[in-house]
Amino acid sequence: MVCPNCRSNVSDKRIRCDRCGQDLEIYKKVYRVSNMYYNQGLAKARVRDLSGAIIALRKSLELNKLNTNARNLLGLIYFEMGETVAALSEWVISKHFQPDNNDADRYINSVQENPTKLDNLNQAIKRYNNALSFAKQGSDDLAIIQLKRVLQLNPNFIRAYHLISLLYMKNGEREKAKKCLSKAARIDVNNTTTLRYLKELEPQTAAGKEGDASVNDDKDATSSIMPVTSYREEKPNVMAFVNLIIGVLIGLAVAAFLIFPTIKNKDANNDVARNHEDYSAGLAALEEKDAIIEQLQNEKDELETTVATLRAELDSIIIPEVNPNLYDSLFEISSLLTEEFSKEERDRDFKQIAEKLRLLDTSMYETDAALQLADKFKQMVYPIASEQFYDTGHDIYGEGRYEEALQYLFQAYYFNPDNYDAIYFIGRAYHRLQDYDNAKIYYELIVNNFQDTRRYDSAKSYLGQIQD
Amino acid sequence: MINFEDEIEKFQPSLEIEQAEDVIYNNDLTDITDILKDLLKEKSKTYYDERG
């Protein structure tokens, strides 16, 4: 044996480990009892008392988890009862404890080598779980359908037999329940649940049998009492033969007059019944065809409505005409920009390009790329153009031509609303033209929005003058 | 007499093959031998402690 303390091999005759000195007496006893339970489990498994075998083998493993035979057999029994996961688990654990020379290898391989079978077993488990959900929700029919399929996929699944029997019992289908339980009993003869359900199905039949038996007993009791008659010698009786012949003749006459016409009538009735059945079947088929025609008619109407709707939608769609000159303006701006950038910086004039960009109609543009290009041009050109308009406006303002200067300054303000110089000189130009209301508006813009700029103090001062 | 509602509650969902790993990992594999080993170890420790 292997010493549980130091894992060294020790002779079975030794009561103490040679290496670590561990007392092995008590371990030997435990192993003996574990083996005894294994033998018990094996004996029960051989007579198909699988439930009993499981209890014995579990006890064996509780005593000695390294009892590989007990664990492998437990796995086999689980597999036989349709408990695939439990079986595989036991074999994997067995393999963990004894990696070499272990039958569990063979068992695991036999399951894994057949993916179809494994998939069926897994499908059976999934369907069983579905069926259980249906049963708990009260959908017995669905649960039964699922369970029938489960039992096709895994005909040894004891739990499925129990569940389907329970559902049959609930729905009063006692014979079906009994049939399923008999199948379960053939797999595991001593299963408590199987026996309990079978017992539940027994009482009525047992009571019936008992009732019949008592009646029979009464009959037997009465029939056994016979009156005692005195012995009398039988005499030959001619009348009896005459009566017999008369009886036969009457019988033949009855047969001729009553039974034969009845048979004929019966045939006729059968024909009528058959014709009636044919007629009923024809009528049913006709009704069915009428229903199909009506359904098809409805579908046709629906489809016609759909076609009309789609046609109307199609007509309402306006396909924009492709304008070949749509992007010409953008190309022109691009060309002008290239031209300006090729000049010396001081000679560049973006005012005209900015004006073209302002007038550019992008509403018909179909691609995002064109729109993005136009925006990019605006971001690039507008600030420069604003400065250039401002410079021109400022020069003209310096020459005292205030109204003319305003046109340029407004352009500068339009292309850059943050150009505070332009705003300030708009205010100044109006001020010079004695248009105080407008001058006030632009001074206030500076005072309120551009406090940190060099124009703030002057704008505030001029605003004060106007207000005074 | 079997009560269907009580009886159906006893049925538990079956474990699927994908869950086998969890079952194996969560399996309590302590046996009497382990318990005995711990007991004997504890006993010998106490014995040596008492002897100083």
Side-chain angles (χ1 to χ4, degrees):
Chain A
M1 70 176 282
V2 176
C3 170
N5 193 36
C6 66
R7 300 257 148 230
S8 58
N9 280 320
V10 187
S11 165
D12 285 344
K13 289 172 186 170
R14 296 272 183 189
I15 56 163
R16 198 168 281 277
C17 176
D18 296 334
R19 194 171 159 201
C20 66
Q22 177 70 53
D23 183 2
L24 300 175
E25 191 66 22
I26 194 160
Y27 289 114
K28 280 184 175 179
K29 277 184 184 164
V30 167
Y31 290 167
R32 268 202 299 274
V33 179
S34 172
N35 284 336
M36 186 198 80
Y37 276 122
Y38 163 68
N39 290 334
Q40 215 174 73
L42 185 61
K44 283 176 188 278
R46 278 182 176 153
V47 293
R48 280 209 162 266
D49 176 7
L50 302 185
S51 302
I54 287 175
I55 295 167
L57 292 169
R58 274 189 180 156
K59 275 185 184 164
S60 168
L61 290 168
E62 275 168 18
L63 291 163
N64 179 15
K65 66 184 173 190
L66 303 176
N67 195 335
T68 306
N69 287 334
R71 201 174 286 282
N72 289 347
L73 181 59
L74 183 61
L76 275 178
I77 290 170
Y78 279 141
F79 196 72
E80 179 62 13
M81 289 173 78
E83 301 290 343
T84 316
V85 176
L88 286 170
S89 304
E90 291 304 335
W91 292 331
V92 169
I93 294 167
S94 165
K95 184 92 181 55
H96 166 75
F97 286 132
Q98 190 183 315
D100 301 321
N101 196 19
N102 190 338
D103 285 338
D105 262 342
R106 195 157 45 85
Y107 304 144
I108 294 171
N109 288 340
S110 71
V111 176
Q112 284 179 337
E113 271 170 8
N114 192 344
T116 319
K117 172 83 179 162
L118 191 63
D119 187 51
N120 281 351
L121 294 172
N122 205 21
Q123 280 294 318
I125 294 168
K126 284 183 173 150
R127 280 172 186 270
Y128 169 80
N129 290 341
N130 279 342
L132 185 58
S133 302
F134 285 138
K136 285 185 177 175
Q137 288 161 13
S139 308
D140 296 352
D141 293 343
L142 289 174
I144 288 171
I145 291 166
Q146 288 283 331
L147 287 167
K148 279 181 180 170
R149 182 78 186 119
V150 168
L151 292 170
Q152 277 173 0
L153 292 166
N154 186 356
N156 280 19
F157 204 169
I158 295 275
R159 276 203 278 171
Y161 281 118
H162 289 161
L163 186 55
I164 200 168
S165 304
L166 186 65
L167 289 167
Y168 280 141
M169 282 158 74
K170 185 191 173 193
N171 294 315
E173 294 174 284
R174 301 171 72 86
E175 281 309 311
K176 285 184 179 174
K178 220 172 188 177
K179 207 173 161 186
C180 288
L181 289 169
S182 308
K183 282 181 186 170
R186 277 200 288 273
I187 299 162
D188 179 12
V189 292
N190 224 2
N191 188 293
T192 320
T193 312
T194 311
L195 295 175
R196 196 154 52 85
Y197 288 176
L198 277 172
K199 197 175 178 188
E200 179 70 18
L201 291 168
E202 262 175 17
Q204 280 190 345
T205 49
K209 274 181 187 172
E210 276 170 20
D212 292 344
S214 63
V215 170
N216 287 337
D217 286 350
D218 288 348
K219 268 185 187 173
D220 290 345
T222 49
S223 61
S224 64
I225 302 166
M226 298 287 285
V228 180
T229 53
S230 57
Y231 175 77
R232 202 166 48 188
E233 184 89 20
E234 282 190 14
K235 291 176 184 171
N237 193 353
V238 181
M239 282 308 288
F241 290 105
V242 174
N243 285 341
L244 183 70
I245 289 161
I246 291 168
V248 169
L249 288 173
I250 290 169
L252 286 173
V254 167
F257 289 104
L258 296 175
I259 298 172
F260 291 141
T262 311
I263 291 167
K264 275 187 181 174
N265 275 342
K266 205 174 179 182
D267 290 343
N269 285 340
N270 284 343
D271 287 344
V272 169
R274 208 171 298 127
N275 288 336
H276 182 69
E277 275 173 16
D278 291 346
Y279 174 71
S280 301
L283 207 61
L286 206 63
E287 279 172 6
E288 200 178 332
K289 275 177 186 165
D290 282 347
I292 291 167
I293 288 166
E294 195 179 342
Q295 192 188 342
L296 289 173
Q297 188 65 42
N298 288 340
E299 280 176 12
K300 187 187 158 224
D301 291 346
E302 276 175 24
L303 287 172
E304 276 175 0
T305 316
T306 315
V307 167
T309 316
L310 290 173
R311 196 165 283 160
E313 277 179 21
L314 201 65
D315 292 343
S316 66
I317 295 168
I318 299 165
I319 301 166
E321 287 179 18
V322 179
N323 180 1
N325 304 322
L326 189 64
Y327 298 107
D328 281 2
S329 310
L330 199 62
F331 293 141
E332 189 192 349
I333 289 165
S334 171
S335 162
L336 287 170
L337 268 173
T338 317
E339 203 177 306
E340 284 305 316
F341 277 114
S342 66
K343 291 179 187 171
E344 288 290 321
E345 196 171 347
R346 63 173 184 277
D347 297 332
R348 289 175 192 166
D349 184 0
F350 289 97
K351 294 202 289 289
Q352 191 201 353
I353 301 171
E355 198 59 25
K356 281 187 182 296
L357 273 170
R358 187 170 70 81
L359 298 171
L360 189 68
D361 181 12
T362 56
S363 62
M364 297 296 279
Y365 283 8
E366 288 171 341
T367 62
D368 286 343
L371 288 168
Q372 282 170 3
L373 188 65
D375 283 342
K376 203 170 180 180
F377 285 164
K378 283 177 185 173
Q379 283 167 15
M380 195 164 61
V381 170
Y382 278 8
I384 306 168
S386 175
E387 284 304 316
Q388 289 180 345
F389 274 117
Y390 166 71
D391 290 341
T392 312
H394 187 254
D395 290 345
I396 296 169
Y397 173 88
E399 291 166 6
R401 290 183 284 154
Y402 302 120
E403 283 186 356
E404 201 182 333
L406 272 172
Q407 288 174 14
Y408 288 96
L409 292 168
F410 270 122
Q411 293 276 56
Y413 178 46
Y414 172 81
F415 288 120
N416 181 9
D418 291 333
N419 189 340
Y420 53 84
D421 287 325
I423 299 168
Y424 174 76
F425 277 99
I426 291 170
R428 289 299 299 134
Y430 276 128
H431 201 158
R432 294 274 187 191
L433 291 166
Q434 296 182 341
D435 184 347
Y436 299 121
D437 289 340
N438 276 323
K440 193 182 161 193
I441 292 168
Y442 290 93
Y443 286 148
E444 277 177 348
L445 265 174
I446 296 288
V447 169
N448 294 332
N449 300 326
F450 300 97
Q451 287 98 335
D452 298 334
T453 62
R454 61 196 169 109
R455 301 295 181 189
Y456 174 75
D457 291 336
S458 307
K460 197 178 176 186
S461 165
Y462 286 124
L463 187 63
Q465 281 178 24
I466 291 170
Q467 281 168 344
D468 290 341
Chain B
M1 180 72 185
I2 287 175
N3 180 317
F4 178 78
E5 299 303 329
D6 294 343
E7 201 63 34
I8 197 89
E9 284 308 315
K10 290 179 193 168
F11 283 85
Q12 294 299 316
S14 190
L15 288 168
E16 291 172 23
I17 289 177
E18 293 85 10
Q19 295 169 300
E21 201 178 327
D22 298 334
V23 178
I24 294 163
Y25 280 123
N26 297 327
N27 209 326
D28 182 16
L29 289 169
T30 312
D31 61 355
I32 295 284
T33 316
D34 293 327
I35 297 166
L36 268 175
K37 214 177 350 181
D38 289 344
L39 281 172
L40 291 172
K41 209 176 270 179
E42 189 67 28
K43 194 182 162 192
S44 71
K45 197 183 163 195
T46 318
Y47 173 75
Y48 285 114
D49 284 351
E50 279 172 3
R51 287 188 72 189

